[in-house]
């Protein structure tokens, strides 16, 4: 099996984004989110149907509560909901967001692992049959756990 990669378009941003992710909303619009570690700001840009980031001016600008060095997407195909979650390995926190149809994010929760003796852990979220699960493994003990995640409307 072969592999080919060709640059078909390029551009310049005003910022360097060491953490980024591309996601598609339930309305089938695609977005690029670039996140900077300087002031925890994120910038969201449209991505067109040909895969190109449109323009150098973001359509949405927001701010996370800390720098998320690892951003990932989660798609629940049963409920047709999209999520983004990110990790901060320094302050041992996880932030979890629902993707809105506008491309913007709504924070659902932030988990801070406050035990100073807590070992590094690897973690991920996944969805099966409309249920969201959280997996993590402890580096020291090699033990792992899976939890079901439920969001409640506090309105």
């Amino acid at each position: 099996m072969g592999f080919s990669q060709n640059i078909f378009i390029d551009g310049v941003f005003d910022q360097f984004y060491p953490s980024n992710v591309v996601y598609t909303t339930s309305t089938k619009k695609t977005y690029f989110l670039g996140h900077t570690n300087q002031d925890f700001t994120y910038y969201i840009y449209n991505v067109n149907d040909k895969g190109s980031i449109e323009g150098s001016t973001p359509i949405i600008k927001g701010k996370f509560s800390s720098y998320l060095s690892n951003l990932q997407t989660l798609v629940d195909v049963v409920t047709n909901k999209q999520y983004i979650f990110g990790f901060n390995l320094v302050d041992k926190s996880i932030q979890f967001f629902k993707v809105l149809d506008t491309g913007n994010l709504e924070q659902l929760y932030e988990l801070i692992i406050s035990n100073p003796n807590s070992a590094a852990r690897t973690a991920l979220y996944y969805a099966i049959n409309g249920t969201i699960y959280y997996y993590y493994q402890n580096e020291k003990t090699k033990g792992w756990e899976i939890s079901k995640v439920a969001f409640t409307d506090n309105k």
Side-chain angles (χ1 to χ4, degrees):
M1 175 179 284
F3 176 78
S4 175
Q5 179 177 324
N6 299 307
I7 296 174
F8 73 96
I9 192 164
D10 59 5
V12 177
F13 289 125
D14 292 336
Q15 303 280 334
F16 174 67
Y17 302 124
S19 184
N20 46 66
V21 67
V22 172
Y23 57 95
T24 302
T25 66
S26 61
T27 60
K28 306 296 183 220
K29 291 197 64 156
T30 303
Y31 298 92
F32 169 90
L33 182 149
H35 178 39
T36 177
N37 59 354
Q38 295 169 356
D39 60 0
F40 313 146
T41 304
Y42 63 86
Y43 303 84
I44 298 174
Y45 301 82
N46 280 316
V47 176
N48 66 28
D49 291 341
K50 296 181 182 184
S52 177
I53 298 170
E54 294 183 337
S56 59
T57 303
I59 59 165
I60 297 169
K61 180 180 176 183
K63 193 169 191 171
F64 296 135
S65 62
S66 63
Y67 174 62
L68 304 176
S69 60
N70 183 341
L71 292 170
Q72 298 181 38
T73 60
L74 167 67
V75 178
D76 185 337
V77 295
V78 173
T79 64
N80 198 30
K81 291 183 180 176
Q82 320 283 321
Y83 302 94
I84 291 177
F85 59 97
F87 300 95
N88 180 306
L89 299 176
V90 175
D91 67 9
K92 297 181 181 176
S93 67
I94 301 170
Q95 295 178 47
F96 198 94
F97 304 88
K98 178 181 174 183
V99 173
L100 305 177
D101 288 344
T102 61
N104 208 346
L105 306 179
E106 175 187 332
Q107 185 170 9
L108 296 178
Y109 76 87
E110 180 173 8
L111 171 66
I112 298 173
I113 303 162
S114 57
N115 181 349
N117 298 321
S118 176
R121 55 170 71 181
T122 183
L124 66 90
Y125 291 87
Y126 58 96
I128 297 176
N129 296 324
T131 301
I132 297 174
Y133 298 90
Y134 168 67
Y135 158 88
Y136 83 88
Q137 182 183 22
N138 185 297
E139 182 182 34
K140 287 182 182 175
T141 67
K142 312 297 186 277
W144 57 270
E145 293 181 2
I146 297 174
S147 304
K148 289 183 181 179
V149 177
F151 299 109
T152 56
D153 189 3
N154 294 329
K155 295 179 184 176

